[in-house]
Amino acid sequence: MILSIIFVTMTVQGVRERKKGATRARIADVAARLAVEHGIAATTVDEIAAEAEVGRATFFRYFDSKELAVAHGLSGAGAYVLAGVLREVDPRLGPADAVRAAYAELGRDFARHRAMFYEQAMLSRSSPAMFAWTLHLYVDWETAIADAVAPRFADLRDGDPRPRMLGAMTMAAARLAWGEWLDDGGTGDLPALTQKYLATLDLRLPDDR
Amino acid sequence: MILSIIFVTMTVQGVRERKKGATRARIADVAARLAVEHGIAATTVDEIAAEAEVGRATFFRYFDSKELAVAHGLSGAGAYVLAGVLREVDPRLGPADAVRAAYAELGRDFARHRAMFYEQAMLSRSSPAMFAWTLHLYVDWETAIADAVAPRFADLRDGDPRPRMLGAMTMAAARLAWGEWLDDGGTGDLPALTQKYLATLDLRLPDDR
DNA sequence: AGAAAAGTGATACTAAGTATCATCTTCGTC
DNA sequence: GACGAAGATGATACTTAGTATCACTTTTCT
């Protein structure tokens, strides 16, 4: 009894929040799996909802569109993985170098996940709507990256544009590299391509000029 | 007779191409107007098609979604305006400086178009779908900017990532500035905000490092 | 001039996305 | 521990976006 009270008290997020997170993740996972298996066009919201064991209305409470659910399922966790890595790379590195280092870190086991990357890229291009919603998701990534990298700006001030810009540039590099990689048939070295785009990236203080 | 032959021969693009362009523009214009007047949700494709005097099927031949048509109507020409200005600013300016100069140029008659900018920004945020498709359009802008600015890279080589990155960074700056401006109620100085974001932007050669 | 190619519109259909409401679950308070 | 409030769910019904097909018209090319 007392134990359960303590447990409840200790629980960071209540039952409700935890359930919501689980449901959201379940829907996204199912959406991504079905889309990879049968293609986005052949996957209906009804199927996703049924497979995820939620009502159709609930599906749309969690995601604004079928495409967004798929995008989340494919790579929704990616932003947090990257943000996590970003926080852990050598603290002496500046913001832009930290991003490059984080991507280098992620690129290490690229070979193992090559097929997955290819599938995701193909899917994100499979329709204009899917592409649009993928871009929508990228904006979330941008903010996650910005938050993760902000502490590395030594002289950060209020409303500083640099973290957000660095996030945007990072995602642009990832997106462009991914596109070029796909155009080449997905046979090339995606991490190297990403570094190529990232290498063009630099930031300077507004008043350094 | 002979005159008409000469005329036909001189025509750069055939009747078909010209008609297509006009139809596309008409649809986009109507879509934007109706969306501004009644909101995107209250505007149906049927209304747009009817007003633009095309069949419903034709509408979807020109645009992949209602939202994309609206986005095009709102600012579809913007990319070409910017690209045009970009080509005309002082040829001695480097790529990044040219972008800043072009935006400064565009900012000069901002005051006159403030209300329009505000409407467009509000509309692009009015629904997640609209936002997603706006981002989709921005990718077109990116390539237009990249093409316009590419000649300014003195040592451009094949597959150089810098023009595309500069295009992406420019659009990111515009998008972020626009968002911040809107969050502040659209009362601030949008051109100045844009310059703030653009100021963080720099490019260096991959092998300068 | 006439055949080929491309664009258009009508029709019909599928499924995405919205709105409403009764029911059930979780939360805070007594 | 019970209870009322707040929030989440699912069923239902509905509107409209987006797709597919086909007969018809316009443009292009030879």
Side-chain angles (χ1 to χ4, degrees), chain A residues 14-16 19 43-45 56-57 60 64-66:
Chain A
V15 176
R16 186 176 282 170
K19 267 194 177 178
T43 305
T44 68
V45 170
R56 182 188 160 68
F60 282 108
D64 288 315
S65 76
K66 180 176 75 169

mmCIF file of all heavy atoms in Angstrom, chain A residues 14-16 19 43-45 56-57 60 64-66, chain C residues 14-22 25-28:
data_model
loop_
_atom_site.group_PDB
_atom_site.id
_atom_site.type_symbol
_atom_site.label_atom_id
_atom_site.label_comp_id
_atom_site.label_asym_id
_atom_site.label_seq_id
_atom_site.Cartn_x
_atom_site.Cartn_y
_atom_site.Cartn_z
ATOM 1 N N GLY A 14 2.329 10.703 -14.889
ATOM 2 C CA GLY A 14 1.241 9.860 -14.426
ATOM 3 C C GLY A 14 0.914 8.755 -15.413
ATOM 4 O O GLY A 14 1.464 8.689 -16.514
ATOM 5 N N VAL A 15 -0.016 7.918 -14.998
ATOM 6 C CA VAL A 15 -0.441 6.809 -15.841
ATOM 7 C C VAL A 15 -0.932 7.325 -17.186
ATOM 8 O O VAL A 15 -0.603 6.785 -18.241
ATOM 9 C CB VAL A 15 -1.579 6.029 -15.141
ATOM 10 C CG1 VAL A 15 -2.086 4.925 -16.052
ATOM 11 C CG2 VAL A 15 -1.094 5.465 -13.835
ATOM 12 N N ARG A 16 -1.700 8.390 -17.126
ATOM 13 C CA ARG A 16 -2.300 8.936 -18.343
ATOM 14 C C ARG A 16 -1.241 9.299 -19.373
ATOM 15 O O ARG A 16 -1.306 8.893 -20.525
ATOM 16 C CB ARG A 16 -3.126 10.173 -17.975
ATOM 17 C CG ARG A 16 -3.898 10.743 -19.132
ATOM 18 C CD ARG A 16 -4.767 11.898 -18.671
ATOM 19 N NE ARG A 16 -5.972 11.460 -17.997
ATOM 20 C CZ ARG A 16 -6.789 12.268 -17.338
ATOM 21 N NH1 ARG A 16 -6.510 13.543 -17.230
ATOM 22 N NH2 ARG A 16 -7.877 11.805 -16.764
ATOM 23 N N LYS A 19 0.566 6.213 -20.782
ATOM 24 C CA LYS A 19 -0.284 5.505 -21.748
ATOM 25 C C LYS A 19 -0.323 6.231 -23.083
ATOM 26 O O LYS A 19 -0.237 5.637 -24.144
ATOM 27 C CB LYS A 19 -1.718 5.403 -21.190
ATOM 28 C CG LYS A 19 -2.007 4.134 -20.415
ATOM 29 C CD LYS A 19 -3.520 3.996 -20.234
ATOM 30 C CE LYS A 19 -3.886 2.703 -19.527
ATOM 31 N NZ LYS A 19 -5.345 2.594 -19.312
ATOM 32 N N THR A 43 -1.733 1.689 -47.848
ATOM 33 C CA THR A 43 -1.970 1.580 -46.408
ATOM 34 C C THR A 43 -3.029 2.593 -45.993
ATOM 35 O O THR A 43 -2.862 3.783 -46.220
ATOM 36 C CB THR A 43 -0.674 1.864 -45.631
ATOM 37 O OG1 THR A 43 0.364 0.998 -46.093
ATOM 38 C CG2 THR A 43 -0.879 1.637 -44.145
ATOM 39 N N THR A 44 -4.111 2.118 -45.410
ATOM 40 C CA THR A 44 -5.175 3.029 -45.004
ATOM 41 C C THR A 44 -5.105 3.298 -43.505
ATOM 42 O O THR A 44 -4.546 2.519 -42.743
ATOM 43 C CB THR A 44 -6.561 2.445 -45.327
ATOM 44 O OG1 THR A 44 -6.794 1.320 -44.481
ATOM 45 C CG2 THR A 44 -6.648 2.021 -46.779
ATOM 46 N N VAL A 45 -5.687 4.411 -43.132
ATOM 47 C CA VAL A 45 -5.741 4.766 -41.719
ATOM 48 C C VAL A 45 -6.518 3.711 -40.935
ATOM 49 O O VAL A 45 -6.159 3.381 -39.801
ATOM 50 C CB VAL A 45 -6.391 6.152 -41.549
ATOM 51 C CG1 VAL A 45 -6.673 6.436 -40.080
ATOM 52 C CG2 VAL A 45 -5.488 7.226 -42.126
ATOM 53 N N ARG A 56 -10.421 4.750 -34.951
ATOM 54 C CA ARG A 56 -10.013 5.642 -36.031
ATOM 55 C C ARG A 56 -9.894 7.097 -35.538
ATOM 56 O O ARG A 56 -8.956 7.815 -35.886
ATOM 57 C CB ARG A 56 -11.087 5.549 -37.110
ATOM 58 C CG ARG A 56 -10.827 6.353 -38.309
ATOM 59 C CD ARG A 56 -12.086 6.301 -39.193
ATOM 60 N NE ARG A 56 -12.041 7.407 -40.102
ATOM 61 C CZ ARG A 56 -11.167 7.519 -41.075
ATOM 62 N NH1 ARG A 56 -10.282 6.576 -41.265
ATOM 63 N NH2 ARG A 56 -11.154 8.574 -41.862
ATOM 64 N N ALA A 57 -10.851 7.500 -34.701
ATOM 65 C CA ALA A 57 -10.832 8.867 -34.182
ATOM 66 C C ALA A 57 -9.571 9.106 -33.360
ATOM 67 O O ALA A 57 -8.972 10.178 -33.399
ATOM 68 C CB ALA A 57 -12.071 9.124 -33.342
ATOM 69 N N PHE A 60 -6.450 10.025 -35.341
ATOM 70 C CA PHE A 60 -6.331 11.425 -35.751
ATOM 71 C C PHE A 60 -6.151 12.373 -34.564
ATOM 72 O O PHE A 60 -5.815 13.536 -34.752
ATOM 73 C CB PHE A 60 -7.531 11.841 -36.597
ATOM 74 C CG PHE A 60 -7.443 11.348 -38.009
ATOM 75 C CD1 PHE A 60 -8.259 10.326 -38.450
ATOM 76 C CD2 PHE A 60 -6.505 11.875 -38.876
ATOM 77 C CE1 PHE A 60 -8.161 9.860 -39.753
ATOM 78 C CE2 PHE A 60 -6.403 11.420 -40.176
ATOM 79 C CZ PHE A 60 -7.236 10.403 -40.617
ATOM 80 N N ASP A 64 -1.862 14.332 -37.221
ATOM 81 C CA ASP A 64 -2.679 15.162 -38.095
ATOM 82 C C ASP A 64 -2.904 14.549 -39.463
ATOM 83 O O ASP A 64 -3.762 14.998 -40.206
ATOM 84 C CB ASP A 64 -2.028 16.536 -38.263
ATOM 85 C CG ASP A 64 -2.139 17.357 -36.987
ATOM 86 O OD1 ASP A 64 -3.233 17.379 -36.409
ATOM 87 O OD2 ASP A 64 -1.132 17.950 -36.563
ATOM 88 N N SER A 65 -2.098 13.578 -39.814
ATOM 89 C CA SER A 65 -2.295 12.932 -41.103
ATOM 90 C C SER A 65 -1.643 11.556 -41.087
ATOM 91 O O SER A 65 -0.786 11.272 -40.256
ATOM 92 C CB SER A 65 -1.681 13.761 -42.229
ATOM 93 O OG SER A 65 -0.277 13.618 -42.234
ATOM 94 N N LYS A 66 -2.059 10.761 -42.020
ATOM 95 C CA LYS A 66 -1.467 9.435 -42.188
ATOM 96 C C LYS A 66 0.033 9.567 -42.429
ATOM 97 O O LYS A 66 0.845 8.866 -41.819
ATOM 98 C CB LYS A 66 -2.140 8.754 -43.389
ATOM 99 C CG LYS A 66 -1.643 7.378 -43.695
ATOM 100 C CD LYS A 66 -2.423 6.743 -44.832
ATOM 101 C CE LYS A 66 -2.049 7.328 -46.182
ATOM 102 N NZ LYS A 66 -2.616 6.543 -47.314
ATOM 103 P P DT C 14 -15.432 2.136 -54.186
ATOM 104 O OP1 DT C 14 -15.227 0.683 -54.291
ATOM 105 O OP2 DT C 14 -16.599 2.695 -53.474
ATOM 106 O "O5'" DT C 14 -14.125 2.763 -53.541
ATOM 107 C "C5'" DT C 14 -12.885 2.667 -54.231
ATOM 108 C "C4'" DT C 14 -11.830 3.455 -53.467
ATOM 109 O "O4'" DT C 14 -12.129 4.868 -53.559
ATOM 110 C "C3'" DT C 14 -11.767 3.109 -51.976
ATOM 111 O "O3'" DT C 14 -10.397 3.024 -51.622
ATOM 112 C "C2'" DT C 14 -12.477 4.285 -51.312
ATOM 113 C "C1'" DT C 14 -12.121 5.421 -52.258
ATOM 114 N N1 DT C 14 -13.052 6.586 -52.294
ATOM 115 C C2 DT C 14 -12.545 7.848 -52.249
ATOM 116 O O2 DT C 14 -11.357 8.073 -52.163
ATOM 117 N N3 DT C 14 -13.476 8.855 -52.304
ATOM 118 C C4 DT C 14 -14.845 8.704 -52.400
ATOM 119 O O4 DT C 14 -15.572 9.690 -52.445
ATOM 120 C C5 DT C 14 -15.321 7.344 -52.443
ATOM 121 C C7 DT C 14 -16.779 7.092 -52.547
ATOM 122 C C6 DT C 14 -14.419 6.357 -52.386
ATOM 123 P P DA C 15 -9.967 2.404 -50.198
ATOM 124 O OP1 DA C 15 -8.699 1.688 -50.423
ATOM 125 O OP2 DA C 15 -11.138 1.731 -49.582
ATOM 126 O "O5'" DA C 15 -9.650 3.705 -49.369
ATOM 127 C "C5'" DA C 15 -8.652 4.579 -49.860
ATOM 128 C "C4'" DA C 15 -8.685 5.870 -49.095
ATOM 129 O "O4'" DA C 15 -9.894 6.602 -49.413
ATOM 130 C "C3'" DA C 15 -8.701 5.723 -47.574
ATOM 131 O "O3'" DA C 15 -7.977 6.801 -47.055
ATOM 132 C "C2'" DA C 15 -10.172 5.885 -47.239
ATOM 133 C "C1'" DA C 15 -10.477 7.023 -48.198
ATOM 134 N N9 DA C 15 -11.890 7.293 -48.412
ATOM 135 C C8 DA C 15 -12.932 6.404 -48.445
ATOM 136 N N7 DA C 15 -14.098 6.965 -48.641
ATOM 137 C C5 DA C 15 -13.813 8.308 -48.735
ATOM 138 C C6 DA C 15 -14.612 9.441 -48.934
ATOM 139 N N6 DA C 15 -15.936 9.379 -49.086
ATOM 140 N N1 DA C 15 -14.000 10.644 -48.978
ATOM 141 C C2 DA C 15 -12.675 10.698 -48.823
ATOM 142 N N3 DA C 15 -11.814 9.708 -48.633
ATOM 143 C C4 DA C 15 -12.456 8.525 -48.599
ATOM 144 P P DA C 16 -7.036 6.660 -45.815
ATOM 145 O OP1 DA C 16 -5.821 5.977 -46.294
ATOM 146 O OP2 DA C 16 -7.795 6.140 -44.672
ATOM 147 O "O5'" DA C 16 -6.667 8.188 -45.543
ATOM 148 C "C5'" DA C 16 -6.246 8.994 -46.648
ATOM 149 C "C4'" DA C 16 -6.690 10.425 -46.421
ATOM 150 O "O4'" DA C 16 -8.126 10.520 -46.624
ATOM 151 C "C3'" DA C 16 -6.420 10.965 -45.030
ATOM 152 O "O3'" DA C 16 -6.033 12.324 -45.168
ATOM 153 C "C2'" DA C 16 -7.777 10.840 -44.326
ATOM 154 C "C1'" DA C 16 -8.731 11.084 -45.481
ATOM 155 N N9 DA C 16 -10.050 10.446 -45.383
ATOM 156 C C8 DA C 16 -10.334 9.122 -45.218
ATOM 157 N N7 DA C 16 -11.618 8.844 -45.199
ATOM 158 C C5 DA C 16 -12.223 10.070 -45.362
ATOM 159 C C6 DA C 16 -13.580 10.453 -45.418
ATOM 160 N N6 DA C 16 -14.611 9.598 -45.331
ATOM 161 N N1 DA C 16 -13.843 11.764 -45.590
ATOM 162 C C2 DA C 16 -12.818 12.629 -45.689
ATOM 163 N N3 DA C 16 -11.506 12.384 -45.645
ATOM 164 C C4 DA C 16 -11.282 11.070 -45.477
ATOM 165 P P DG C 17 -5.203 13.033 -44.046
ATOM 166 O OP1 DG C 17 -4.357 14.068 -44.665
ATOM 167 O OP2 DG C 17 -4.595 12.000 -43.197
ATOM 168 O "O5'" DG C 17 -6.359 13.755 -43.244
ATOM 169 C "C5'" DG C 17 -6.993 14.873 -43.882
ATOM 170 C "C4'" DG C 17 -8.250 15.209 -43.167
ATOM 171 O "O4'" DG C 17 -9.214 14.157 -43.310
ATOM 172 C "C3'" DG C 17 -8.128 15.451 -41.663
ATOM 173 O "O3'" DG C 17 -8.590 16.768 -41.420
ATOM 174 C "C2'" DG C 17 -8.997 14.371 -41.036
ATOM 175 C "C1'" DG C 17 -10.015 14.173 -42.153
ATOM 176 N N9 DG C 17 -10.787 12.936 -42.090
ATOM 177 C C8 DG C 17 -10.327 11.659 -41.935
ATOM 178 N N7 DG C 17 -11.280 10.764 -41.919
ATOM 179 C C5 DG C 17 -12.449 11.501 -42.061
ATOM 180 C C6 DG C 17 -13.799 11.085 -42.106
ATOM 181 O O6 DG C 17 -14.260 9.943 -42.034
ATOM 182 N N1 DG C 17 -14.659 12.168 -42.260
ATOM 183 C C2 DG C 17 -14.276 13.480 -42.351
ATOM 184 N N2 DG C 17 -15.244 14.379 -42.498
ATOM 185 N N3 DG C 17 -13.016 13.881 -42.318
ATOM 186 C C4 DG C 17 -12.157 12.847 -42.170
ATOM 187 P P DT C 18 -8.743 17.369 -39.960
ATOM 188 O OP1 DT C 18 -8.312 18.761 -39.987
ATOM 189 O OP2 DT C 18 -8.161 16.405 -38.998
ATOM 190 O "O5'" DT C 18 -10.333 17.341 -39.765
ATOM 191 C "C5'" DT C 18 -11.141 18.024 -40.707
ATOM 192 C "C4'" DT C 18 -12.561 18.110 -40.173
ATOM 193 O "O4'" DT C 18 -13.181 16.799 -40.252
ATOM 194 C "C3'" DT C 18 -12.664 18.552 -38.717
ATOM 195 O "O3'" DT C 18 -13.677 19.550 -38.651
ATOM 196 C "C2'" DT C 18 -13.034 17.268 -37.962
ATOM 197 C "C1'" DT C 18 -13.805 16.494 -39.015
ATOM 198 N N1 DT C 18 -13.768 15.014 -38.894
ATOM 199 C C2 DT C 18 -14.962 14.324 -38.913
ATOM 200 O O2 DT C 18 -16.048 14.863 -39.006
ATOM 201 N N3 DT C 18 -14.841 12.960 -38.815
ATOM 202 C C4 DT C 18 -13.675 12.236 -38.706
ATOM 203 O O4 DT C 18 -13.684 11.010 -38.618
ATOM 204 C C5 DT C 18 -12.462 13.027 -38.691
ATOM 205 C C7 DT C 18 -11.137 12.326 -38.585
ATOM 206 C C6 DT C 18 -12.571 14.357 -38.789
ATOM 207 P P DA C 19 -13.994 20.288 -37.254
ATOM 208 O OP1 DA C 19 -14.345 21.678 -37.587
ATOM 209 O OP2 DA C 19 -12.914 19.998 -36.296
ATOM 210 O "O5'" DA C 19 -15.316 19.545 -36.755
ATOM 211 C "C5'" DA C 19 -16.369 19.307 -37.678
ATOM 212 C "C4'" DA C 19 -17.549 18.725 -36.926
ATOM 213 O "O4'" DA C 19 -17.458 17.274 -36.937
ATOM 214 C "C3'" DA C 19 -17.633 19.136 -35.466
ATOM 215 O "O3'" DA C 19 -18.987 19.467 -35.177
ATOM 216 C "C2'" DA C 19 -17.166 17.906 -34.689
ATOM 217 C "C1'" DA C 19 -17.569 16.767 -35.625
ATOM 218 N N9 DA C 19 -16.701 15.589 -35.562
ATOM 219 C C8 DA C 19 -15.341 15.570 -35.481
ATOM 220 N N7 DA C 19 -14.821 14.364 -35.455
ATOM 221 C C5 DA C 19 -15.927 13.528 -35.539
ATOM 222 C C6 DA C 19 -16.058 12.129 -35.563
ATOM 223 N N6 DA C 19 -15.021 11.284 -35.510
ATOM 224 N N1 DA C 19 -17.303 11.618 -35.642
ATOM 225 C C2 DA C 19 -18.341 12.462 -35.699
ATOM 226 N N3 DA C 19 -18.343 13.796 -35.683
ATOM 227 C C4 DA C 19 -17.090 14.264 -35.604
ATOM 228 P P DT C 20 -19.396 19.972 -33.680
ATOM 229 O OP1 DT C 20 -20.414 21.014 -33.874
ATOM 230 O OP2 DT C 20 -18.198 20.260 -32.872
ATOM 231 O "O5'" DT C 20 -20.109 18.683 -33.094
ATOM 232 C "C5'" DT C 20 -20.934 17.899 -33.970
ATOM 233 C "C4'" DT C 20 -21.504 16.725 -33.205
ATOM 234 O "O4'" DT C 20 -20.602 15.587 -33.349
ATOM 235 C "C3'" DT C 20 -21.675 16.940 -31.699
ATOM 236 O "O3'" DT C 20 -22.917 16.398 -31.314
ATOM 237 C "C2'" DT C 20 -20.505 16.176 -31.097
ATOM 238 C "C1'" DT C 20 -20.406 15.008 -32.076
ATOM 239 N N1 DT C 20 -19.103 14.303 -32.122
ATOM 240 C C2 DT C 20 -19.103 12.936 -32.281
ATOM 241 O O2 DT C 20 -20.120 12.279 -32.391
ATOM 242 N N3 DT C 20 -17.855 12.364 -32.321
ATOM 243 C C4 DT C 20 -16.648 13.018 -32.207
ATOM 244 O O4 DT C 20 -15.595 12.393 -32.250
ATOM 245 C C5 DT C 20 -16.719 14.450 -32.040
ATOM 246 C C7 DT C 20 -15.455 15.236 -31.912
ATOM 247 C C6 DT C 20 -17.924 15.012 -32.007
ATOM 248 P P DC C 21 -23.549 16.845 -29.878
ATOM 249 O OP1 DC C 21 -24.935 17.282 -30.132
ATOM 250 O OP2 DC C 21 -22.622 17.733 -29.137
ATOM 251 O "O5'" DC C 21 -23.608 15.439 -29.134
ATOM 252 C "C5'" DC C 21 -24.048 14.277 -29.859
ATOM 253 C "C4'" DC C 21 -23.659 13.025 -29.105
ATOM 254 O "O4'" DC C 21 -22.275 12.697 -29.413
ATOM 255 C "C3'" DC C 21 -23.736 13.164 -27.582
ATOM 256 O "O3'" DC C 21 -24.314 11.990 -27.040
ATOM 257 C "C2'" DC C 21 -22.271 13.303 -27.165
ATOM 258 C "C1'" DC C 21 -21.615 12.396 -28.207
ATOM 259 N N1 DC C 21 -20.160 12.645 -28.401
ATOM 260 C C2 DC C 21 -19.327 11.568 -28.748
ATOM 261 O O2 DC C 21 -19.814 10.456 -28.889
ATOM 262 N N3 DC C 21 -17.996 11.810 -28.921
ATOM 263 C C4 DC C 21 -17.517 13.042 -28.755
ATOM 264 N N4 DC C 21 -16.203 13.211 -28.941
ATOM 265 C C5 DC C 21 -18.350 14.141 -28.409
ATOM 266 C C6 DC C 21 -19.657 13.897 -28.252
ATOM 267 P P DA C 22 -25.159 12.103 -25.665
ATOM 268 O OP1 DA C 22 -26.529 12.465 -26.026
ATOM 269 O OP2 DA C 22 -24.408 12.913 -24.682
ATOM 270 O "O5'" DA C 22 -25.141 10.586 -25.171
ATOM 271 C "C5'" DA C 22 -25.185 9.518 -26.118
ATOM 272 C "C4'" DA C 22 -24.174 8.455 -25.746
ATOM 273 O "O4'" DA C 22 -22.843 8.938 -26.073
ATOM 274 C "C3'" DA C 22 -24.141 8.088 -24.257
ATOM 275 O "O3'" DA C 22 -24.090 6.685 -24.126
ATOM 276 C "C2'" DA C 22 -22.882 8.782 -23.735
ATOM 277 C "C1'" DA C 22 -21.977 8.703 -24.963
ATOM 278 N N9 DA C 22 -20.925 9.705 -25.002
ATOM 279 C C8 DA C 22 -21.041 11.051 -24.753
ATOM 280 N N7 DA C 22 -19.907 11.715 -24.873
ATOM 281 C C5 DA C 22 -18.993 10.739 -25.241
ATOM 282 C C6 DA C 22 -17.613 10.799 -25.526
ATOM 283 N N6 DA C 22 -16.899 11.927 -25.490
ATOM 284 N N1 DA C 22 -17.007 9.642 -25.861
ATOM 285 C C2 DA C 22 -17.721 8.510 -25.896
ATOM 286 N N3 DA C 22 -19.016 8.332 -25.662
ATOM 287 C C4 DA C 22 -19.603 9.500 -25.330
ATOM 288 P P DT C 25 -12.629 1.539 -18.247
ATOM 289 O OP1 DT C 25 -12.031 0.264 -18.717
ATOM 290 O OP2 DT C 25 -13.528 1.591 -17.075
ATOM 291 O "O5'" DT C 25 -11.445 2.565 -18.002
ATOM 292 C "C5'" DT C 25 -10.677 3.039 -19.103
ATOM 293 C "C4'" DT C 25 -9.867 4.242 -18.663
ATOM 294 O "O4'" DT C 25 -10.749 5.379 -18.470
ATOM 295 C "C3'" DT C 25 -9.112 4.062 -17.342
ATOM 296 O "O3'" DT C 25 -7.776 4.440 -17.566
ATOM 297 C "C2'" DT C 25 -9.826 4.995 -16.373
ATOM 298 C "C1'" DT C 25 -10.339 6.072 -17.318
ATOM 299 N N1 DT C 25 -11.517 6.850 -16.849
ATOM 300 C C2 DT C 25 -11.418 8.218 -16.758
ATOM 301 O O2 DT C 25 -10.399 8.828 -17.032
ATOM 302 N N3 DT C 25 -12.562 8.851 -16.337
ATOM 303 C C4 DT C 25 -13.771 8.266 -16.007
ATOM 304 O O4 DT C 25 -14.727 8.935 -15.646
ATOM 305 C C5 DT C 25 -13.802 6.819 -16.125
ATOM 306 C C7 DT C 25 -15.054 6.085 -15.793
ATOM 307 C C6 DT C 25 -12.693 6.193 -16.535
ATOM 308 P P DT C 26 -6.634 4.111 -16.473
ATOM 309 O OP1 DT C 26 -5.431 3.669 -17.200
ATOM 310 O OP2 DT C 26 -7.226 3.267 -15.421
ATOM 311 O "O5'" DT C 26 -6.338 5.553 -15.858
ATOM 312 C "C5'" DT C 26 -5.737 6.534 -16.706
ATOM 313 C "C4'" DT C 26 -5.895 7.902 -16.078
ATOM 314 O "O4'" DT C 26 -7.292 8.149 -15.802
ATOM 315 C "C3'" DT C 26 -5.158 8.104 -14.750
ATOM 316 O "O3'" DT C 26 -4.300 9.215 -14.914
ATOM 317 C "C2'" DT C 26 -6.275 8.362 -13.736
ATOM 318 C "C1'" DT C 26 -7.368 8.931 -14.637
ATOM 319 N N1 DT C 26 -8.750 8.837 -14.126
ATOM 320 C C2 DT C 26 -9.470 9.990 -13.952
ATOM 321 O O2 DT C 26 -9.025 11.098 -14.190
ATOM 322 N N3 DT C 26 -10.756 9.798 -13.480
ATOM 323 C C4 DT C 26 -11.362 8.595 -13.188
ATOM 324 O O4 DT C 26 -12.528 8.551 -12.771
ATOM 325 C C5 DT C 26 -10.554 7.427 -13.397
ATOM 326 C C7 DT C 26 -11.122 6.077 -13.115
ATOM 327 C C6 DT C 26 -9.294 7.598 -13.849
ATOM 328 P P DC C 27 -3.201 9.528 -13.772
ATOM 329 O OP1 DC C 27 -1.972 9.975 -14.441
ATOM 330 O OP2 DC C 27 -3.178 8.418 -12.808
ATOM 331 O "O5'" DC C 27 -3.868 10.792 -13.073
ATOM 332 C "C5'" DC C 27 -4.292 11.882 -13.887
ATOM 333 C "C4'" DC C 27 -4.967 12.938 -13.021
ATOM 334 O "O4'" DC C 27 -6.323 12.518 -12.731
ATOM 335 C "C3'" DC C 27 -4.290 13.198 -11.674
ATOM 336 O "O3'" DC C 27 -4.034 14.579 -11.531
ATOM 337 C "C2'" DC C 27 -5.280 12.667 -10.648
ATOM 338 C "C1'" DC C 27 -6.612 12.761 -11.388
ATOM 339 N N1 DC C 27 -7.612 11.731 -10.986
ATOM 340 C C2 DC C 27 -8.925 12.108 -10.684
ATOM 341 O O2 DC C 27 -9.242 13.304 -10.747
ATOM 342 N N3 DC C 27 -9.823 11.154 -10.320
ATOM 343 C C4 DC C 27 -9.452 9.880 -10.274
ATOM 344 N N4 DC C 27 -10.380 8.978 -9.928
ATOM 345 C C5 DC C 27 -8.125 9.473 -10.585
ATOM 346 C C6 DC C 27 -7.243 10.424 -10.932
ATOM 347 P P DG C 28 -3.052 15.096 -10.353
ATOM 348 O OP1 DG C 28 -2.140 16.112 -10.915
ATOM 349 O OP2 DG C 28 -2.518 13.911 -9.648
ATOM 350 O "O5'" DG C 28 -4.072 15.837 -9.378
ATOM 351 C "C5'" DG C 28 -4.918 16.846 -9.901
ATOM 352 C "C4'" DG C 28 -6.038 17.143 -8.922
ATOM 353 O "O4'" DG C 28 -6.894 15.978 -8.812
ATOM 354 C "C3'" DG C 28 -5.569 17.469 -7.498
ATOM 355 O "O3'" DG C 28 -6.247 18.634 -7.055
ATOM 356 C "C2'" DG C 28 -5.959 16.227 -6.684
ATOM 357 C "C1'" DG C 28 -7.167 15.710 -7.448
ATOM 358 N N9 DG C 28 -7.372 14.270 -7.343
ATOM 359 C C8 DG C 28 -6.429 13.284 -7.465
ATOM 360 N N7 DG C 28 -6.921 12.069 -7.339
ATOM 361 C C5 DG C 28 -8.279 12.278 -7.121
ATOM 362 C C6 DG C 28 -9.331 11.345 -6.905
ATOM 363 O O6 DG C 28 -9.267 10.115 -6.874
ATOM 364 N N1 DG C 28 -10.557 11.985 -6.735
ATOM 365 C C2 DG C 28 -10.735 13.348 -6.754
ATOM 366 N N2 DG C 28 -11.991 13.790 -6.569
ATOM 367 N N3 DG C 28 -9.773 14.233 -6.950
ATOM 368 C C4 DG C 28 -8.571 13.630 -7.123
#
